[in-house]
Amino acid sequence: MLAEARWPEEGDAGAAPPGVPGFVFSAFHPLVVAVAERCLTRRYGAGPLPADNRTAVVLVSAGGDTAGAAHVRETVAGGGRVGPLFFFQSVPNSVAGHVAARWGLDGPVVCLSPTGDPRAEGEAEVDLLCHDGDAAQALLILIEPAPDGTPGEATAVLLGEETRQ
C-alpha cells in the first residue's frame, strides 16, 4: 500500500465533500473525488502525475449512485424530464474517468459491483491489472453511499509499484 484515505476522517464529521462540476444531486460523485484526491495528494502532492504512470482506477460499489438513480426513477414516474447530466453521471465510470483525467492517470478504468467482500474483489482486480502488465499501480476506491442521503463512507487505497512524479 502506497497511500490511503477515507471519508469521513477527523474534521469531516457531519460535513459533505465539496461538489464536483458536472455532477449533480448526489453525494456519490463528490465522495469518490474527495477520497481519491486525498489519497493521491498524500502520495504525490499536487497532480497531475507524469505521462506513462500506468495508474489504473478501480471503483468498487455494490449500489452505485442510489440517490441519483432514485431521483431519475421518481422524475420519470412523475412524468418529468430528466436533465442531461444524469445520463452522463449514471455510469460510475464517469466519475472514475473524471478522477483519472484530473490526475493524469493513464491506466485502465474499471468499475465493479461486488457480490462478496468489496475490498477483496477490488484487490483481486488490481492484482490482475498489475500482473497482466496493464497497470503499474492502481487507485482502489471503495464506496457505499448511506441510505439516508448523507454522504456515506469511502476509502481510497493506492496499491502497486512505486511511481514518482
Side-chain angles (χ1 to χ4, degrees), residues 16-34 59 61 63-72 85-86 88-92 95 143-152:
V20 179
F23 295 92
V24 295
F25 189 79
S26 170
F28 181 85
H29 308 93
L31 189 53
V32 168
V33 172
L59 176 63
S61 178
D65 178 13
T66 53
H71 174 74
V72 169
L85 285 178
F86 283 101
F88 167 73
Q89 76 180 34
S90 67
V91 181
V95 74
I143 176 173
E144 287 309 325
D148 63 0
T150 59

Side-chain angles (χ1 to χ4, degrees), residues 23 27 56 77 90 99 109 113 154 162:
F23 295 92
S90 67
V99 169
V109 172
S113 180
E162 180 111 9

